[in-house]
Amino acid sequence: MATVLSVSGSPSASSRTTRLLRHLDQRLTAQGHEVIPLDVRTLPAEALLGADFRHPAVVEAAALFARADGVVVGTPVYKASYSGVLKALLDLLPQYALAGKTVLPLATGGSIAHVLAIDYALRPVLSSMGAAHIVQGRFILDEDITVHDDGSPAVARGAADALAQVVDRFSAALRPATPATLAVAS
């Protein structure tokens, strides 16, 4: 199947966003995809803030983007926009780092007032980076994500169902057209 880069743009080590992404990574893996997690917060701050395009960690992150068939981008929403660490990484990638890729944008936040951050803040950046197909994303309220004692997330039923749908659409968009599907489409 496809190689998926799962990018968490959260600056927090105990992030609900990151835990949610790793939970969704399991669903994609179960569907046969190779999933590579990337937590932007683990990249050196001096490389991100100093715009060091040649730093080995930045070069490696760019290589992960180049290798991926699809990219899941998850971010907490702060002040109606995606996180600064995610912005710092995206700024260091080649202009068309998402060319030919299917992208799934996801966001978490404390208020439904931020629900449009995906469409008005994140989607335009992903599009400008050449994404071939940006599937419909999903915003999840922080209150719909709880964390068990073992660190695993639990997602409220309605939010979990909606997430499963967007992840499944993303997964389907990653599948290459086979001769059988092309014949049906004709």
Side-chain angles (χ1 to χ4, degrees):
M1 284 292 208
T3 299
V4 176
L5 181 62
S6 179
V7 181
S8 172
S10 176
S12 170
S14 60
S15 167
R16 285 187 177 110
T17 303
T18 301
R19 287 187 172 128
L20 181 65
L21 280 171
R22 299 307 156 244
H23 175 72
L24 298 176
D25 292 350
Q26 292 173 3
R27 185 176 186 93
L28 289 166
T29 299
Q31 294 174 353
H33 303 294
E34 175 191 6
V35 179
I36 302 167
L38 174 61
D39 297 340
V40 180
R41 70 172 187 78
T42 64
L43 299 176
E46 66 276 3
L48 292 174
L49 298 176
D52 186 353
F53 292 90
R54 289 188 231 126
H55 190 284
V58 173
V59 171
E60 183 179 339
L64 290 174
F65 275 86
R67 177 178 167 211
D69 301 302
V71 180
V72 177
V73 178
T75 182
V77 175
Y78 300 115
K79 299 182 181 175
S81 188
Y82 53 93
S83 71
V85 294
L86 180 60
K87 172 72 168 138
L89 174 62
L90 295 177
D91 285 349
L92 290 175
L93 295 175
Q95 174 64 44
Y96 296 106
L98 298 176
K101 303 190 187 314
T102 300
V103 179
L104 169 60
L106 299 170
T108 61
S111 163
I112 60 168
H114 298 300
V115 74
L116 295 177
I118 290 175
D119 290 331
Y120 291 104
L122 189 54
R123 184 178 293 273
V125 172
L126 301 173
S127 180
S128 76
M129 295 179 73
H133 180 51
I134 303 172
V135 299
Q136 182 171 349
R138 189 72 190 178
F139 177 85
I140 302 295
L141 285 168
D142 287 341
E143 68 187 35
D144 287 337
I145 307 166
T146 55
V147 180
H148 296 293
D149 291 337
D150 67 358
S152 65
V155 182
R157 178 104 182 140
D161 292 344
L163 278 170
Q165 288 177 3
V166 297
V167 169
D168 291 350
R169 279 189 225 124
F170 172 72
S171 181
L174 289 170
R175 292 194 182 102
T178 62
T181 57
L182 290 175
V184 172
S186 300

